[in-house]
Amino acid sequence: MLGMAAFMDWRGGLRTAQGIFWFATGGIVGWPFASILIAPFLLEELGLAALSKQAWDTGSRLLDGTVRSLIVLGKALEVSVDTFFYKKVVTVPWNIVWYNVFSGPGKGPNIYGTEPWHFYVRNLLLNFNIWFVLAMSALPLLGMQYYFRRRATTMQTLLRSVVFTMPFYLWLAIFTFQPHKEERFMYPVYPALGLNAAIALHMILSYVGSTDPNEIIGRLPAKVKFALVSVFMIVFIDVGLLRTFGMVTAYSAPLRIYDALRQPGGARAGDTVCLGKEWYRFSTSFLLPDQVRAKFIKSAFDGLLPGEFSEANVGFGIFPGASLIPPGMNDENKEDIGKYKLQAGFWDYRDRCCVHFSPPMKSRTMSRAMAGSSSNIQELGQIDGSLIAWAKQFFDPPRLRETALQLAKHPRPLTYTLLIVAVVGWVTTTAIKRAKGAGLQRPITPDLEKPAATAIGKFKAPEREPGELDNHYPKYHADKARRIEERGPKCCKTAPEAFDGAIELLEELCDYLPQRYPSLYRKTAVGMDNLLTGETFNIVERPLAEDPMAMAARTVQDDLAIMFENPDGQYYLLAGAILLAGFWRLEDKFGMPLSEIHTSGDVPGFKQKLEKGMMNFFRRIRPDGPVLRNNYFIQVDENLAWSDSIGDEDREGIGWFTAEKNKAIEHHYFRSERQSLRRLPRSGGVVFTIRTYFHPITEIVEQPYVPGRLASAIRGWGDDVSKYKGRERYQDVLLEYLDEKHREQVANGLDVEKEDEVRSYPY
């Protein structure tokens, strides 16, 4: 798990060496074959090296991880410990691999029993039920999502997801083709199974949660979908719990039978517990009472039985039992008669567990011990027994078939039951919603008739998505191109650890824009072409022609920034193209954590009211659900990119509060920013897009109700908001003008009472 997590987490740079180290820990200290799970991640590393032409960096990371593993684990721990106990230099992981893979005819794992190819399928279905089915479906669902729901994923995300899911498929395939099979061989891949199931469930829930009216699922009411998903989850969680209860209560007898030996009248010092055919189901002999021994009797089992550790304590050094080989041991699974207790006349029940004590114990004690060896759940407690008995009866295959036939003949009871469940779910949801109070829907632009509030204003994306273009695109593009040429790295910058996230954003834009605007963009093998400006974007070559954020900024009207979470839990601004911000500069904020970005800008009420909520809000942002918010300012000049009225762009200590005071109304502009936040699925960065709408005040006041609402909003600002937005620099001229325009609208028949009925975007 630690190894997979290291390879998956690219935040702050690649952790190849760390991933190799953890996989080596599992392979050397645990089971060597578990190291096979690293193969997909190493192939990904080699693929990245080939594409990015960074073979030296990749090779150094691989060498670093290998050296760590060999020195720290191979020499300092594994070989040293084994040499100490075995009294000779030995590499146990290699011995395990040699015997199981290279030992030759008559040896190896197959001589210990074989199972059919579907053994693991049946076993995993029994243990994991629907979650195993989901784990198996992860890769097909990824392909279907990519080909049928292109906007839900990109090629880069698809490839990373394939790497994440491959360890499970690789392990299952390898061990399915091995004739010798045991349930324990699946233990190392259980975390990968859980990951695959989670990925598959996430894709299914993303589809079920779709609100796209072009998809059938998007037309279903949200409450119906919620009810169906809830029933699905509850049913299969219950099935898993029943399986767990069944294992603990109905199959724990071999683990509990030794308890009877500790009861009064049970085993005594010098007694012997003899095990027959099912010897491997019982606990280690170390759990027997003191001075009670475990022995074997002859049964249908004719393979090699475990040997006893030597108890010699003189002349063989420390812990001699670990280095002295028990007599009769061999690597061909040949029976050793010397391991049986040969007083055969004492034994009964030879094909099951047989317990015998010498001298013979009382029959009632024998009966109690033998009763514990069966799977009789009546002896395991009334509640447990009832649960498991019900589960066995309910999930009995013939009974299930009979039930299915009855439902097919008489479907009404099931239909009515499902309808009742749906109605109850809808009523409950409605009652909870009403009890909490209906939430206020925030408008798409700032509510200009109410005083400004300190809150994290957000709402779900409307039909227009972040990155969409309008007829002002040529002007915005020209302004951005000029700014990139003039100011370059002062406005566009990517930290080395954020490079992958910036590339991921570029890839998404090159995938989305040609589909959304085929007359403006054309997708190519290396990126895309801008048919309007003649620009060609090659996002595959290394090094790139320019900073990836500058390249991304040329494709859309928005300013762009990417925040990444560091180990300290804070989000840092590590990539950005801030070209049309008007009053703040990327170079001032670059590398800052989210909280410092806001406090350095004197955002009103941030420390007191917003900081904790905003940090939690950032962690909840998802790839499939962009969140939008708006703000607005008053600017007293006509420059979109940088407000010259507040001072020179390279001067310190500037803001709206340094703007020229009481300029003529013709210089007043309404500046509104439509901001979106969305998580990049591969790198985990949060993309922050800023789309600026810039209109003269003299233009927007022609809209009904706007002059009065804007004047009311400005007057309603608190002192901190007023200072932040520089109200005292323009309020005299602006408010007088807005009041005059509002009186004109009222005089011309504007019905103030009907404002809510006619209010519309964007004012």
Side-chain angles (χ1 to χ4, degrees), residues 83 90 108 127 129 169 179 338 382 437 487 556 575 608 646 665 674 735:
T83 300
V90 61
N127 286 330
N129 56 76
Y169 295 112
Q382 180 99 26
R487 299 188 64 82
V556 292
Q608 298 85 355
I646 68 174
I665 193 63
R674 178 173 178 264
L735 292 176

Side-chain angles (χ1 to χ4, degrees), residues 649-669:
E649 189 168 359
D650 293 316
R651 203 181 95 193
E652 297 298 324
I654 53 178
W656 294 132
F657 51 87
T658 61
E660 296 179 40
K661 189 171 183 179
N662 291 333
K663 295 182 70 174
I665 193 63
E666 290 77 14
H667 299 291
H668 287 60
Y669 279 73

Side-chain angles (χ1 to χ4, degrees), residues 21-53:
F21 176 82
W22 288 122
F23 272 109
T25 302
I28 297 176
V29 179
W31 194 33
F33 296 110
S35 300
I36 296 171
L37 295 172
I38 200 177
F41 299 104
L42 292 181
L43 290 176
E44 180 188 36
E45 289 281 337
L46 296 176
L48 287 174
L51 292 174
S52 62
K53 300 179 181 179

Side-chain angles (χ1 to χ4, degrees), residues 491-702:
C491 293
C492 302
K493 192 173 182 180
T494 304
E497 62 268 32
F499 184 80
D500 178 67
I503 293 297
E504 184 179 7
L505 175 60
L506 260 180
E507 291 169 348
E508 291 198 351
L509 290 171
C510 289
D511 183 67
Y512 166 72
L513 291 172
Q515 297 182 62
R516 180 66 180 82
Y517 303 103
S519 62
L520 284 179
Y521 294 99
R522 179 177 59 227
K523 191 171 181 60
T524 66
V526 296
M528 71 176 178
D529 295 336
N530 187 323
L531 304 178
L532 177 67
T533 64
E535 294 169 308
T536 295
F537 299 97
N538 185 335
I539 66 173
V540 176
E541 64 178 352
R542 296 292 184 275
L544 292 175
E546 61 180 340
D547 187 277
M549 294 304 293
M551 192 177 292
R554 294 180 187 272
T555 66
V556 292
Q557 289 175 242
D558 309 58
D559 278 347
L560 304 168
I562 311 180
M563 312 285 293
F564 291 89
E565 186 178 10
N566 276 4
D568 61 4
Q570 292 211 64
Y571 280 82
Y572 288 77
L573 175 55
L574 298 179
I578 307 300
L579 299 159
L580 308 175
F583 71 103
W584 67 278
R585 300 167 296 208
L586 176 65
E587 56 184 324
D588 295 336
K589 311 293 184 182
F590 193 82
M592 284 186 179
L594 181 66
S595 56
E596 188 177 350
I597 290 174
H598 287 80
T599 54
S600 65
D602 295 325
V603 175
F606 179 79
K607 291 295 289 185
Q608 298 85 355
K609 300 180 181 180
L610 298 180
E611 184 173 20
K612 183 178 179 181
M614 185 170 289
M615 296 302 297
N616 293 331
F617 167 67
F618 257 68
R619 295 187 182 100
R620 293 196 300 268
I621 294 174
R622 301 178 302 163
D624 57 349
V627 177
L628 307 186
R629 66 181 297 273
N630 286 79
N631 61 26
Y632 68 99
F633 298 89
I634 303 299
Q635 183 172 327
V636 290
D637 61 70
E638 62 278 2
N639 298 316
L640 170 64
W642 180 261
S643 177
D644 293 331
S645 65
I646 68 174
D648 185 83
E649 189 168 359
D650 293 316
R651 203 181 95 193
E652 297 298 324
I654 53 178
W656 294 132
F657 51 87
T658 61
E660 296 179 40
K661 189 171 183 179
N662 291 333
K663 295 182 70 174
I665 193 63
E666 290 77 14
H667 299 291
H668 287 60
Y669 279 73
F670 181 80
R671 184 186 186 100
S672 177
E673 294 179 347
R674 178 173 178 264
Q675 303 167 353
S676 79
L677 297 101
R678 185 179 69 85
R679 189 174 300 281
L680 293 170
R682 184 178 80 231
S683 62
V686 175
V687 177
F688 187 43
T689 71
I690 309 166
R691 173 66 174 280
T692 302
Y693 297 90
F694 196 60
H695 299 281
I697 292 291
T698 54
E699 175 185 309
I700 69 171
V701 295
E702 299 302 321

Side-chain angles (χ1 to χ4, degrees), residues 70-92:
L70 292 177
I71 293 178
V72 178
L73 296 174
K75 301 299 181 184
L77 181 61
E78 194 272 335
V79 173
S80 301
V81 172
D82 289 344
T83 300
F84 173 79
F85 282 100
Y86 289 126
K87 305 296 189 296
K88 61 181 179 180
V89 178
V90 61
T91 305
V92 173

